[in-house]
Amino acid sequence: MLEKILLLLSLSLSVAEGLCKPGVGEAYKVRFSIKTALGDQAYPWNKNEMFLFRAALAFAMRDFTNGEEFGVSDIHPCNETQRVSFWFVVTRPKTMDLVDKGTVEMAIKKSRNRINGAFLLTDKTLEFDGIYPTLAAPVSPDTPPWLIVFGVVMGAVSVGIIALLVYPLVQRKLKKNMDADDEDSDEETGVKTAENGANDGIYNSTFSDDERFTQM
Amino acid sequence: MRLVLPNPGLDLRIPRHEDLERMEKQEAADRPKWDNKAQYILTCVGFCIGLGNVWRFPYLCQSHGGGAFLIPYLILLVLEGMPLLLLEIAIGQRLRKGSVGVWRAISPYLTGVGIGSMLVSFMVALYYNTLIAWIMWYFFNSFQDPLPWTNCPLNENRTGFIPECQQSSTVDYYFYRVTLNASNSIADSGGLQWPIIICLLAAWTVVCICCIRGISTSGKAVYITAILPYIVLAIFLIRGLTLKGALSGIKFLFTPDVEELMNPTTWLDAGAQVFYAFGLAWGGLISFSSYNPVHNNCVQDSVILSVVTGLTSVYAATVTYSIIGFRATEKYDTCINENIRTLLNGFELPEDSITASNYNAALHHLNSSNPDTVFGLDIKTCDMQKLLSEGVEGTGLAFIVFTEAITKMPGSPAWSVLFFIMLLCLGLSTLFGNIEGVVVPLKDFNLFPQKWPHEILTGATCFVSFIICLLFAQPSGIYWLTLFDNFAGSVPLLTIGLFEMIAVVYIYGIDRFNEDIKFMVGRKPSIFWQITWRFISPLIVLVILVFYLVTQAQKQLNYLVWDINSETFPALTSIPYPSWIYAVIFLLAGVPSLVVPMYALCRLIFVCYKKKMSEKN
């Protein structure tokens, strides 16, 4: 009995190894860049991590096919290198039929974040050759921020224009009030104003200078 | 016996020294005045220090032998810049008029010099304010995190980026496509870019409101626009020096290559840069100096201005190249890391086997053992020198190189805001001088009724300029701007500067000019000024002008375009100008230069005709 089981196991293993051929058929290549992602906190790659990978991928297949009972034994890796990269194929549960590339791709795409999370990696450091990550759309606010700043600047400029227009009017009003006060005080000191008015006179250059300029 | 051309009636046209003394005592209110000396100095410094100091001088310095370029620059600053500066300042202070008024007072035949200055100031103001509009656009967009030029937009199925952005870079795409929507050639003008129109509106309104009452408003604005750039440069210097790779940039800038001094183009470029850096021949300096008190020490002012301009150029160059060094180092590191990744993936080696330090040795080893595989991997060469020298002039520096460097700094929106505020201040303070050089001659011409206040004149000028600036809001706008930059701001300035010197020294009379300065300052100008005014400076400007014309006439006029479909994409493609451009170039460069002799000729004919008519009667 025991020998039969052992024979079956070894047969299935050898068949599986035959299934996983790099670059051919339904195989995908996976590449881990653990040291790039985690630096000092990098964990070493060993059989346990491989097990986690197979489990994560089985989960992805289950999630995508909605219930088909994929197991760890349905994920077959091969050609592992020192880079930490290897090829793998997926077979249907309880049979040796390969799952086609398209299904595997869609399953991985659906659960990409979960698989990344299991390894503390990102789309860039856990690469599936040929499966391009769906990029997150950039956040675009409803009002573009530049319009807001533009509005602030134009508002400040409008305030400036209004200030420039209003300021001389206000000044003129104040001057009128001051002149009214002066006239009141002038009536008391009538004699003094005559003396103050007899200054040297202000030289008005407007008349003299223009004549000296030549025409044209 | 000094050579002086006959100039009858000069004494009737200019105020005598006694008149000046009396005007000073009476404090006649018909001309505006500076509130204090600091305002005058700041306005002049702001006018001289402009965008060119940030993005033209560092490029010239680095491409003409680094530290060795400072030698021709400083020599020509002293021999060419300073004398012409003192000439303009002193003549403005003495004759107390704007640029047209001054030349008309010296001789009515010379009014053309003033007209030429006004035209040049106007054309430069047009394209300069468009640059301000672009800077404003970037400034408005800096108030978000992440900055919009950090990431490419996604393509339709969200698996990658738009190919135009993918092939060039995010900053290139943002500048040429999002901001400008650049077309393929200068003839291709398809509609108007409304974000640019909005920014042009903002730019012209800000300029209008700062200049609306002449120096009583712009004099207050320069307290900010002239001082803020220095503060921001200091902040950037400190930030820049703490970044990795800054010192390699500064070393690249200042490494002297003494052999470049033998090259005549080095001296020509230094001379031209000094000329443009001082804002000479624009008419703004003459105007500003005419508001000074009569006994202001203009000799001291010109020396101070020259020293400040020279030092600021070197200061700005240091800051610029520290940031450029940082960016180049970042790109170099990224390039090396990419190559390491490719090698590791291609040869399936463990991750830490190749690092930046043993990259060269590892590459050599792999290349000798498996040359075919290495060739198939397509490893890019990472060249630090090439990275340090790419795109570091003009708009490329501010909108592409610097914006990219800023995205790599932590806290990028703050740095972006600071950088573009600095550029805004630098540009605005130069524009104040430009607008002064346009509005005051218009006033002197009495084209508009006298009772129109200054505000309406400024407003009208700004409005008309805004309408004309819509030319630059087209998709081909950047090519028009480069055209204006190359032709409106080069030959006419040199011609007018030459005529100015000849006018003051040989038509006004160097003896009379010396007496004026002795009256104003108390001392006759020394032998240095005499020799430079009479021989050296005019000669230098003439040589630069002749060489420039000769070199321009010899080469075919090409310009650079952003063309997705060309082979050299993402680098700009060089294509020839269409033939109708020559008419535009004549308008830009020929008309301001030729208006000087043409006006004199027309006036001569008119006067002769009038004489004949009066003789007949």
Side-chain angles (χ1 to χ4, degrees):
Chain A
M1 192 60 199
L2 202 61
E3 294 119 355
K4 273 195 189 158
I5 296 172
L6 276 171
L7 197 63
L8 266 171
L9 264 173
S10 59
L11 261 174
S12 63
L13 268 170
S14 61
V15 169
E17 270 173 22
L19 286 171
C20 174
K21 283 202 207 72
V24 178
E26 319 289 341
Y28 267 110
K29 184 168 182 184
V30 126
R31 198 179 296 118
F32 284 74
S33 311
I34 307 172
K35 291 213 183 78
T36 318
L38 300 170
D40 288 335
Q41 319 228 332
Y43 46 80
W45 183 261
N46 51 31
K47 291 210 195 90
N48 302 333
E49 306 291 341
M50 177 60 88
F51 183 82
L52 178 58
F53 176 76
R54 294 163 75 188
L57 218 58
F59 159 76
M61 296 303 301
R62 279 199 192 201
D63 196 34
F64 181 68
T65 55
N66 225 347
E68 259 188 76
E69 302 216 339
F70 285 89
V72 173
S73 48
D74 295 313
I75 318 291
H76 309 277
C78 59
N79 275 58
E80 207 176 312
T81 65
Q82 272 199 309
R83 172 69 180 79
V84 192
S85 69
F86 52 90
W87 294 81
F88 68 92
V89 289
V90 182
T91 54
R92 295 232 168 255
K94 300 199 184 94
T95 63
M96 283 292 143
D97 302 330
L98 291 175
V99 179
D100 62 290
K101 260 186 140 171
T103 320
V104 175
E105 176 171 345
M106 287 194 280
I108 293 176
K109 268 194 171 152
K110 186 177 177 193
S111 311
R112 189 66 185 262
N113 278 342
R114 304 293 295 274
I115 304 175
N116 287 348
F119 288 95
L120 307 173
L121 296 174
T122 64
D123 280 345
K124 274 193 136 180
T125 38
L126 171 48
E127 297 161 78
F128 289 89
D129 255 4
I131 302 180
Y132 298 109
T134 322
L135 301 161
V139 179
S140 54
D142 293 323
T143 357
W146 71 268
L147 217 49
I148 300 173
V149 184
F150 172 73
V152 167
V153 168
M154 291 309 276
V157 167
S158 323
V159 166
I161 294 177
I162 295 174
L164 274 174
L165 291 174
V166 166
Y167 184 65
L169 294 173
V170 169
Q171 273 230 312
R172 236 178 273 167
K173 258 198 183 165
L174 280 172
K175 243 191 156 181
K176 267 201 197 142
N177 290 343
M178 270 178 55
D179 281 343
D181 290 340
D182 277 343
E183 277 171 19
D184 292 338
S185 58
D186 272 352
E187 281 168 8
E188 299 165 11
T189 58
V191 182
K192 275 196 185 162
T193 29
E195 286 178 10
N196 284 340
N199 267 336
D200 294 326
I202 299 171
Y203 185 85
N204 194 342
S205 58
T206 335
F207 292 109
S208 54
D209 281 346
D210 279 349
E211 291 164 3
R212 293 169 13 176
F213 289 151
T214 20
Q215 307 296 315
M216 189 167 173
Chain B
M1 241 321 250
R2 305 266 196 262
L3 169 66
V4 177
L5 296 170
N7 194 357
L10 180 61
D11 285 310
L12 297 173
R13 292 192 293 266
I14 60 178
R16 300 183 302 265
H17 291 176
E18 302 83 47
D19 296 334
L20 288 178
E21 288 278 8
R22 188 182 46 218
M23 284 192 317
E24 182 82 353
K25 285 207 193 82
Q26 298 292 341
E27 293 198 357
D30 59 343
R31 207 162 174 80
K33 272 186 348 177
W34 297 109
D35 290 342
N36 49 49
K37 181 76 181 278
Q39 236 183 32
Y40 168 64
I41 294 285
L42 280 179
T43 309
C44 287
V45 165
F47 181 48
C48 295
I49 309 287
L51 295 172
N53 290 77
V54 169
W55 71 37
R56 180 122 177 97
F57 176 77
Y59 165 73
L60 285 176
C61 198
Q62 173 270 312
S63 64
H64 284 299
F69 182 74
L70 290 176
I71 299 173
Y73 185 72
L74 291 173
I75 291 178
L76 288 173
L77 193 123
V78 165
L79 290 179
E80 177 202 354
M82 221 160 57
L84 201 47
L85 193 64
L86 176 58
L87 194 116
E88 288 207 356
I89 290 179
I91 202 78
Q93 198 172 301
R94 164 69 177 91
L95 297 179
R96 315 199 72 70
K97 292 224 159 282
S99 68
V100 162
V102 156
W103 305 115
R104 188 164 55 186
I106 292 182
S107 163
Y109 290 90
L110 285 176
T111 319
V113 179
I115 300 177
S117 288
M118 181 179 78
L119 287 174
V120 168
S121 282
F122 181 65
M123 290 194 285
V124 172
L126 288 177
Y127 84 80
Y128 216 80
N129 217 9
T130 314
L131 286 171
I132 302 281
W134 294 352
I135 294 171
M136 273 196 174
W137 166 257
Y138 272 78
F139 172 68
F140 292 157
N141 275 294
S142 304
F143 287 91
Q144 44 186 303
D145 191 14
L147 294 168
W149 51 85
T150 334
N151 294 314
C152 278
L154 303 173
N155 59 11
E156 282 100 35
N157 45 6
R158 290 173 61 185
T159 53
F161 301 118
I162 292 183
E164 189 179 358
C165 193
Q166 185 80 10
Q167 286 172 22
S168 55
S169 71
T170 61
V171 277
D172 276 317
Y173 180 79
Y174 190 77
F175 181 56
Y176 287 107
R177 186 56 55 213
V178 176
T179 310
L180 300 174
N181 200 13
S183 62
N184 287 343
S185 78
I186 199 168
D188 246 343
S189 54
L192 295 171
Q193 274 287 90
W194 66 266
I196 302 288
I197 297 180
I198 288 190
C199 293
L200 273 172
L201 182 70
W204 278 111
T205 342
V206 168
V207 168
C208 189
I209 203 180
C210 287
C211 291
I212 200 150
R213 288 238 176 91
I215 61 168
S216 47
T217 41
S218 69
K220 311 274 188 308
V222 285
Y223 283 121
I224 304 175
T225 59
I227 297 183
L228 190 64
Y230 285 95
I231 301 178
V232 174
L233 276 174
I235 299 175
F236 264 98
L237 184 68
I238 299 173
R239 170 79 268 214
L241 288 176
T242 55
L243 291 169
K244 178 183 175 208
L247 289 173
S248 63
I250 296 181
K251 234 190 292 179
F252 184 65
L253 171 71
F254 286 124
T255 316
D257 181 8
V258 193
E259 286 184 357
E260 277 284 337
L261 292 180
M262 305 298 163
N263 191 356
T265 37
T266 309
W267 291 84
L268 288 171
D269 279 338
Q273 176 62 17
V274 163
F275 200 86
Y276 306 140
F278 274 115
L280 300 165
W282 287 17
L285 278 172
I286 300 181
S287 254
F288 288 145
S289 309
S290 68
Y291 307 132
N292 270 335
V294 172
H295 292 292
N296 176 49
N297 191 346
C298 44
V299 181
Q300 195 185 53
D301 288 346
S302 66
V303 175
I304 293 177
L305 263 175
S306 311
V307 168
V308 168
T309 310
L311 287 177
T312 311
S313 298
V314 177
Y315 179 43
T318 315
V319 175
T320 308
Y321 265 84
S322 67
I323 306 286
I324 288 176
F326 161 68
R327 171 190 170 268
T329 313
E330 276 277 317
K331 285 197 109 161
Y332 181 75
D333 285 344
T334 315
C335 180
I336 295 279
N337 284 337
E338 272 290 314
N339 287 351
I340 292 177
R341 231 174 56 97
T342 326
L343 282 176
L344 289 176
N345 290 354
F347 286 96
E348 305 289 2
L349 302 165
E351 273 183 276
D352 275 349
S353 55
I354 308 182
T355 59
S357 39
N358 64 1
Y359 166 73
N360 283 324
L363 179 64
H364 185 77
H365 172 81
L366 289 169
N367 208 2
S368 44
S369 51
N370 306 60
D372 296 324
T373 334
V374 171
F375 186 70
L377 289 174
D378 196 22
I379 310 273
K380 295 192 203 60
T381 36
C382 305
D383 187 357
M384 186 68 167
Q385 296 294 99
K386 182 168 163 290
L387 286 169
L388 280 169
S389 50
E390 53 176 32
V392 292
E393 186 198 4
T395 50
L397 177 72
F399 299 117
I400 294 178
V401 169
F402 248 82
T403 43
E404 193 174 7
I406 286 174
T407 56
K408 297 189 166 51
M409 294 188 208
S412 6
W415 298 109
S416 184
V417 167
L418 267 180
F419 176 64
F420 287 110
I421 272 197
M422 174 184 84
L423 289 186
L424 266 176
C425 289
L426 284 172
L428 276 177
S429 51
T430 312
L431 264 175
F432 295 158
N434 260 347
I435 298 291
E436 177 81 13
V438 173
V439 170
V440 170
L442 279 178
K443 235 181 162 170
D444 281 345
F445 261 131
N446 297 329
L447 277 177
F448 300 95
Q450 280 286 6
K451 54 185 167 75
W452 277 21
H454 192 98
E455 287 92 327
I456 301 223
L457 202 54
T458 317
T461 312
C462 289
F463 181 71
V464 169
S465 310
F466 169 66
I467 300 293
I468 301 181
C469 269
L470 291 179
L471 171 75
F472 299 117
Q474 297 170 324
S476 51
I478 181 176
Y479 310 128
W480 283 103
L481 194 132
T482 327
L483 185 74
F484 268 67
D485 190 18
N486 285 338
F487 294 106
S490 54
V491 170
L493 288 176
L494 290 167
T495 331
I496 293 171
L498 191 62
F499 280 124
E500 281 188 5
M501 279 191 279
I502 296 176
V504 171
V505 173
Y506 298 110
I507 301 181
Y508 184 72
I510 190 77
D511 288 327
R512 187 189 283 266
F513 194 55
N514 286 334
E515 285 300 317
D516 287 335
I517 295 189
K518 187 167 172 195
F519 165 71
M520 291 193 290
V521 173
R523 258 196 333 277
K524 197 173 133 167
S526 67
I527 189 84
F528 163 75
W529 301 106
Q530 306 300 325
I531 297 181
T532 46
W533 279 333
R534 286 204 271 167
F535 308 115
I536 300 186
S537 306
L539 195 64
I540 293 178
V541 175
L542 186 65
V543 165
I544 295 177
L545 181 62
V546 166
F547 263 97
Y548 184 82
L549 286 173
V550 165
T551 45
Q552 279 295 91
Q554 280 177 344
K555 34 178 207 190
Q556 191 203 21
L557 290 173
N558 281 350
Y559 68 114
L560 298 168
V561 295
W562 176 260
D563 190 357
I564 320 173
N565 304 318
S566 90
E567 297 115 25
T568 61
F569 190 78
L572 299 172
T573 328
S574 175
I575 62 177
Y577 275 119
S579 40
W580 51 265
I581 276 292
Y582 292 95
V584 178
I585 293 178
F586 178 74
L587 215 69
L588 291 175
V591 167
S593 321
L594 291 176
V595 78
V596 180
M598 288 309 294
Y599 187 89
L601 205 65
C602 288
R603 187 184 157 76
L604 192 64
I605 296 173
F606 181 74
V607 163
C608 286
Y609 180 71
K610 256 182 111 176
K611 247 195 207 165
K612 282 216 183 99
M613 295 303 290
S614 60
E615 267 171 22
K616 271 198 190 157
N617 296 343

